[in-house]
Amino acid sequence: MQDFEALKKIWQQKPELVKRVSGPKELSSTSKRNKKLLQYAQLVGGAGQVIVSAFISWMMVFGNFGFRFWYTYLSMGMVVLLCLLQAGYMLYTYTKIRAIDDSLPPAEHLRQWEQYYALRQQQITFQGPVFTVLLSIALGIYYIEILSGRPFLPVLLVVLVTIAWILFAYFYLGKKSIRKETNRLQSIIHELQAVERQLEEEEPSGLDQ
Amino acid sequence: MNNMNQEQLFTDLYQSYSPGIFKICLGYTGDRSLAEDLLQEVFLSVWNNMHKFRQEASWSTWIYRIAVNTCLTYLRKKKAPLVDVAVEILGALPEEPGTKEQDIQLLYTCISRLPEADRLIIGLVLDDKPYEEIAAIIGMNVNNLRVKIHRIKKQLTEIYNRYARL
């Protein structure tokens, strides 16, 4: 039968050997922390948008398509602008996650995550539909010149495939990605709320020290 | 603070606090490889946030808070049940019975079966941190903390003795 002092001796009897590190560059981590995953998703998404906008810009300048109407170039410019806005927006979100201070007590740490969650919910509700509508308008303008004078059936097919893709991207891919992000955020918040409850729920039945 | 001084300070902090933080992570997860990963994660966060340190708390309190929050927000694949895990505990023990290694492994495993907040608090208590500092790390009143620690000590001792007899 061991008492608590005996457990303390067990804990203290053997110093744990940890990896020796002579600077921050030697640190690496493979842990799948929620915060890291959330940051990573924003960073990769933002970088992807920049690459797409660079590619479309390159096509506009060097593609030599010889479009007759100015608004066809306008539509390509709109897509580039939308991608850049989306990239900036993702970078902003990334900095918001980075700004969450891990050195605060758990309850204050929880408040920061709750504030971030509220901000993200506002962004998701507004940004997703607006981005989709503007992208659809840009594509619609682009198709005016691209599809004009072509046989009806191929035109109909292209338009239907494009609409189907936009609906699939918005209602399936987009929602799936948001659901994943929301689950991660909720997992952090639930964990911290559970701990907050554990810290609050204590009946004063005994004292120590 | 220039980069060279900051790196030297970081190395000193790592040497001073990494063994204690590692034990806290080990008690929290009950898993050595996860604890090693969490330790690296904690000190990456320490390095990235050193410029935010305002000396409102000691380095110890500041680093242990990062450790507590890092433990609380890491992604877990499944939640371990709190108690009644005799088979799992015995399976994790070294083959040689009654050794120091077996005792410490059993202790880590028993701690990892407590509720999350309790695991972190008891790790700090076992490390002989003053109650005032633990209260500052966790962010709770010292009197409430005393009550809580009294209850956790009792619970941990009971779990340990129950499985030590098996």
Side-chain angles (χ1 to χ4, degrees):
Chain A
M1 206 51 187
Q2 309 268 30
D3 63 7
F4 186 76
E5 287 308 308
L7 297 188
K8 196 186 263 185
K9 276 193 193 127
I10 293 172
W11 176 274
Q12 291 174 353
Q13 72 191 352
K14 182 173 166 279
E16 288 293 343
L17 294 174
V18 294
K19 179 186 165 190
R20 287 184 69 83
V21 162
S22 55
K25 291 185 189 82
E26 292 175 33
L27 294 173
S28 65
S29 169
T30 55
S31 78
K32 291 176 178 170
R33 277 189 73 210
N34 280 318
K35 187 176 176 183
K36 206 156 90 177
L37 286 171
L38 288 165
Q39 277 180 299
Y40 185 72
Q42 297 298 328
L43 206 57
V44 170
Q49 298 286 345
V50 170
I51 291 169
V52 171
S53 64
F55 178 68
I56 297 174
S57 301
W58 179 84
M59 286 211 311
M60 275 172 74
V61 178
F62 302 106
N64 207 17
F65 293 111
F67 293 128
R68 285 176 295 144
F69 303 124
W70 60 269
Y71 49 74
T72 309
Y73 290 104
L74 173 78
S75 67
M76 290 172 89
M78 269 177 79
V79 175
V80 169
L81 189 66
L82 281 171
C83 288
L84 289 176
L85 281 174
Q86 182 79 349
Y89 167 86
M90 290 179 120
L91 195 67
Y92 171 75
T93 311
Y94 169 80
T95 58
K96 281 281 171 194
I97 307 171
R98 261 186 82 91
I100 290 174
D101 190 349
D102 287 336
S103 67
L104 292 175
E108 288 173 50
H109 191 229
L110 168 63
R111 296 290 95 78
Q112 288 188 321
W113 278 107
E114 284 174 337
Q115 281 165 7
Y116 172 74
Y117 182 70
L119 170 83
R120 198 69 192 109
Q121 288 306 304
Q122 278 176 356
Q123 288 178 336
I124 288 166
T125 317
F126 173 76
Q127 173 253 348
V130 169
F131 181 80
T132 307
V133 167
L134 290 176
L135 190 68
S136 304
I137 292 172
L139 271 176
I141 297 172
Y142 181 73
Y143 278 170
I144 294 173
E145 180 168 351
I146 298 295
L147 300 179
S148 64
R150 312 226 176 228
F152 177 73
L153 274 179
V155 169
L156 184 68
L157 189 69
V158 168
V159 171
L160 285 177
V161 167
T162 306
I163 291 172
W165 168 249
I166 289 172
L167 291 176
F168 176 71
Y170 181 73
F171 286 104
Y172 181 73
L173 297 179
K175 300 277 177 196
K176 193 176 158 192
S177 148
I178 289 169
R179 201 164 45 242
K180 225 165 150 184
E181 182 189 342
T182 306
N183 286 343
R184 282 196 188 118
L185 271 173
Q186 284 177 342
S187 149
I188 293 175
I189 290 171
H190 289 161
E191 193 72 20
L192 291 169
Q193 281 171 340
V195 169
E196 194 176 41
R197 279 195 298 276
Q198 287 167 19
L199 293 175
E200 282 167 0
E201 288 165 9
E202 199 67 54
E203 288 175 22
S205 56
L207 283 178
D208 206 69
Q209 242 190 23
Chain B
M1 198 189 313
N2 66 36
N3 206 39
M4 192 100 158
N5 287 342
Q6 197 171 333
E7 278 206 34
Q8 186 53 52
L9 173 61
F10 174 82
T11 309
D12 293 345
L13 291 172
Y14 184 88
Q15 278 166 5
S16 304
Y17 296 111
S18 59
I21 299 279
F22 181 69
K23 282 187 171 186
I24 300 288
C25 296
L26 200 47
Y28 186 79
T29 60
D31 180 299
R32 194 161 284 273
S33 67
L34 268 180
E36 278 166 8
D37 225 24
L38 273 174
L39 175 72
Q40 302 267 309
E41 197 70 46
V42 170
F43 278 91
L44 274 172
S45 188
V46 167
W47 172 252
N48 290 330
N49 290 287
M50 275 173 85
H51 64 282
K52 291 186 194 163
F53 180 71
R54 296 280 174 266
Q55 293 181 329
E56 287 156 3
S58 66
W59 277 111
S60 167
T61 304
W62 189 78
I63 291 174
Y64 272 91
R65 268 190 199 153
I66 291 179
V68 164
N69 286 321
T70 305
C71 286
L72 292 176
T73 53
Y74 98 101
L75 186 66
R76 289 175 308 162
K77 285 193 176 124
K78 59 171 186 171
K79 244 185 157 86
L82 297 184
V83 285
D84 297 330
V85 284
V87 173
E88 195 184 330
I89 288 180
L90 292 171
L93 295 177
E95 287 185 5
E96 192 66 30
T99 61
K100 281 181 184 177
E101 193 54 47
Q102 189 186 39
D103 291 343
I104 187 81
Q105 186 56 51
L106 177 59
L107 182 57
Y108 287 137
T109 313
C110 291
I111 292 171
S112 72
R113 266 50 191 178
L114 294 169
E116 288 86 345
D118 295 0
R119 293 178 213 169
L120 296 165
I121 292 172
I122 204 66
L124 295 166
V125 174
L126 287 164
D127 238 10
D128 266 342
K129 288 261 172 236
Y131 282 17
E132 288 71 20
E133 188 177 351
I134 300 175
I137 292 167
I138 301 290
M140 73 185 291
N141 175 295
V142 179
N143 290 330
N144 291 346
L145 182 72
R146 284 183 206 286
V147 176
K148 186 170 273 299
I149 289 174
H150 178 82
R151 198 253 313 142
I152 307 171
K153 279 181 173 179
K154 203 169 154 223
Q155 194 180 357
L156 178 64
T157 312
E158 278 171 12
I159 297 174
Y160 185 90
N161 285 319
R162 195 186 320 158
Y163 292 114
R165 280 200 302 269
L166 291 174

